[in-house]
């Protein structure tokens, strides 16, 4: 440590930096929710986690944005971004579970989405960060099944409510020959635990572009119909018009299955400015399954 910087002064610098990072994250969240970012920041206690538990879901509406293969790349990029960032609901009664920044996930706890006794969570993509899994198991007493084929750890019971499995979710049941990863489809994994008829309160998926083939397999059966809330990080890569169109069709199928976006956020670690606006490598989206809403 430099002799010119005292420990208290260093702690002040670190705390200020952390708060600034949290402010930026809150700004991204509030901007994505089509609310005034400044109002949201003022009304939220910055660098704290104050939550209000007396508010409900607010339906915003549906989007008419479409992507078609005859668009130019710029047109398809703008249309796809507008499509995925458009929210169907605002959930004022929400919390973040796990890390404040990367690794944590937002959950709507407005009824009927608040986890109850014997709640169940499937969490794909851990990367040695169990902050979300530990938090949701402690707060709601949920059973959590966590999966990641890339970690060195083998199958084990992490805690009283959290189990880890060295398995990955993908588009088919297979073993990758180049790294010996065991991959299975989401319906196959759920079936292996005898939980095909159980309600899954939260499905989390951050699997570095494997979400696309996984979604195809997930939409082929009815396993998703019993998922109450679905948090997924979509990864973009270097895209062509046809790829954007195919991904739009896939996410539109998810909507047709009853899933509605209430949360959208850019991954600010890879945020960049383009001629079409701010873009990132990946976006966090959280859906609620509207089939659980009373009509």
């Amino acid at each position: 440590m430099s002799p010119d910087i005292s420990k208290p002064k260093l702690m002040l610098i670190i705390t200020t930096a952390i708060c600034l990072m949290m402010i930026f994250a809150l700004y991204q969240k509030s901007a994505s929710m089509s609310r005034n970012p400044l109002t949201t920041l003022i009304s939220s206690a910055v660098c704290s986690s104050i939550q209000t538990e007396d508010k409900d879901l607010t339906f915003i509406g549906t989007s008419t944005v479409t992507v078609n293969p005859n668009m130019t790349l710029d047109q398809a990029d703008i249309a796809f971004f507008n499509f995925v960032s458009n929210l169907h609901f605002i959930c004022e009664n929400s919390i973040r579970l796990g890390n404040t920044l990367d690794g944590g996930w937002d959950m709507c706890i407005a009824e009927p989405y608040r986890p109850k006794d014997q709640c169940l969570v499937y969490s794909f993509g851990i990367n040695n960060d169990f902050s979300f899994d530990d938090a949701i198991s402690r707060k709601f007493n949920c059973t959590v099944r966590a999966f990641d084929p890339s970690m060195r750890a083998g199958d084990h019971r992490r805690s009283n409510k959290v189990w880890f499995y060295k398995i990955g979710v993908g588009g088919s049941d297979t073993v990758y020959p180049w790294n010996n990863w065991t991959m299975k489809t989401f319906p196959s994994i759920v079936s292996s635990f005898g939980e095909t008829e159980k309600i899954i309160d939260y499905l989390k998926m951050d699997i570095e572009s494997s979400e696309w083939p996984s979604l195809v397999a997930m939409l082929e059966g009815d396993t998703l119909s019993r998922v109450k809330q679905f948090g997924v990080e979509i990864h973009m890569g270097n895209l062509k018009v046809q790829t954007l169109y195919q991904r739009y069709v896939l996410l539109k199928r998810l909507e047709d299955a009853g899933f509605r976006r209430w949360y959208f956020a850019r991954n600010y670690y890879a945020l960049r400015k383009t001629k079409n606006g701010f873009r990132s490598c990946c976006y966090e989206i959280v859906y609620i399954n509207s089939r659980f809403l009373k009509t």
Side-chain angles (χ1 to χ4, degrees):
M1 182 185 299
S2 170
D4 298 327
I5 302 178
S6 65
K7 285 186 177 180
K9 190 176 292 184
L10 180 61
M11 288 303 297
L12 178 62
I13 293 171
I14 293 172
T15 303
T16 302
I18 292 172
C19 286
L20 287 172
M21 291 171 69
M22 292 178 68
I23 289 170
F24 184 76
L26 283 168
Y27 179 87
Q28 290 297 314
K29 177 178 176 179
S30 58
S32 70
M33 287 186 172
S34 302
R35 289 178 284 176
N36 187 304
L38 184 59
T39 301
T40 303
L41 286 174
I42 292 173
S43 62
S44 302
V46 177
C47 297
S48 70
S49 57
I50 296 174
Q51 300 293 335
T52 57
E53 305 226 348
D54 58 346
K55 295 185 178 180
D56 208 346
L57 284 166
T58 302
F59 179 68
I60 303 172
T62 56
S63 173
T64 57
V65 177
T66 60
V67 180
N68 72 69
N70 298 318
M71 289 178 165
T72 66
L73 182 57
D74 282 343
Q75 289 171 335
D77 171 68
I78 292 170
F80 184 86
F81 180 80
N82 288 340
F83 171 73
V84 296
S85 61
N86 174 263
L87 300 180
H88 303 104
F89 284 89
I90 290 178
C91 179
E92 295 290 349
N93 192 0
S94 67
I95 57 174
R96 188 161 182 86
L97 296 161
N99 292 334
T100 303
L101 301 178
D102 200 36
W105 286 82
D106 284 63
M107 169 180 264
C108 178
I109 56 173
E111 295 298 345
Y113 299 102
R114 185 182 182 91
K116 303 295 192 300
D117 290 340
Q118 299 183 345
C119 50
L120 179 62
V121 175
Y122 274 68
S123 177
F124 294 98
I126 306 302
N127 194 26
N128 297 294
D129 180 356
F130 286 92
S131 62
F132 166 77
D133 313 87
D134 292 340
I136 198 167
S137 68
R138 286 195 300 264
K139 185 170 182 63
F140 298 107
N141 200 34
C142 293
T143 295
V144 180
R145 302 199 185 282
F147 304 84
D148 195 322
S150 70
M151 288 171 53
R152 290 185 177 182
D155 296 0
H156 66 276
R157 187 173 186 173
R158 175 176 171 81
S159 66
N160 185 46
K161 303 294 290 187
V162 180
W163 280 262
F164 173 79
Y165 308 93
K166 194 177 175 63
I167 298 172
V169 65
S172 61
D173 292 356
T174 187
V175 176
Y176 290 164
W178 55 88
N179 54 21
N180 205 36
W181 289 1
T182 298
M183 308 294 290
K184 294 184 178 181
T185 66
F186 177 64
S188 178
I189 291 172
V190 174
S191 177
S192 71
F193 291 104
E195 295 173 333
T196 54
E197 299 301 318
K198 287 190 176 181
I199 298 298
I200 297 174
D201 292 83
Y202 202 100
L203 166 61
K204 184 219 83 178
M205 190 176 289
D206 182 2
I207 50 177
E208 311 305 319
S209 294
S210 289
E211 66 273 9
W212 301 113
S214 298
L215 276 169
V216 173
M218 290 163 71
L219 288 164
E220 287 176 354
D222 64 347
T223 312
L224 268 179
S225 67
R226 283 175 283 279
V227 172
K228 276 191 167 184
Q229 205 159 168
F230 179 27
V232 58
E233 183 168 77
I234 61 171
H235 298 77
M236 302 308 295
N238 297 318
L239 299 177
K240 298 180 180 180
V241 173
Q242 188 63 29
T243 307
L244 285 167
Y245 172 68
Q246 290 170 348
R247 292 181 177 180
Y248 158 76
V249 170
L250 191 56
L251 294 179
K252 187 66 173 64
R253 286 180 60 196
L254 191 60
E255 288 187 19
D256 293 341
F259 286 84
R260 301 289 181 262
R261 285 179 298 277
W262 73 268
Y263 178 85
F264 170 88
R266 304 169 181 87
N267 184 319
Y268 69 89
Y269 286 116
L271 195 64
R272 67 188 188 280
K273 187 174 183 179
T274 72
K275 62 181 179 179
N276 297 331
F278 284 99
R279 297 291 187 267
S280 180
C281 67
C282 22
Y283 306 103
E284 285 185 11
I285 304 173
V286 186
Y287 295 87
I288 54 172
N289 187 342
S290 63
R291 294 182 179 183
F292 287 89
L293 290 171
K294 294 180 180 179
T295 55

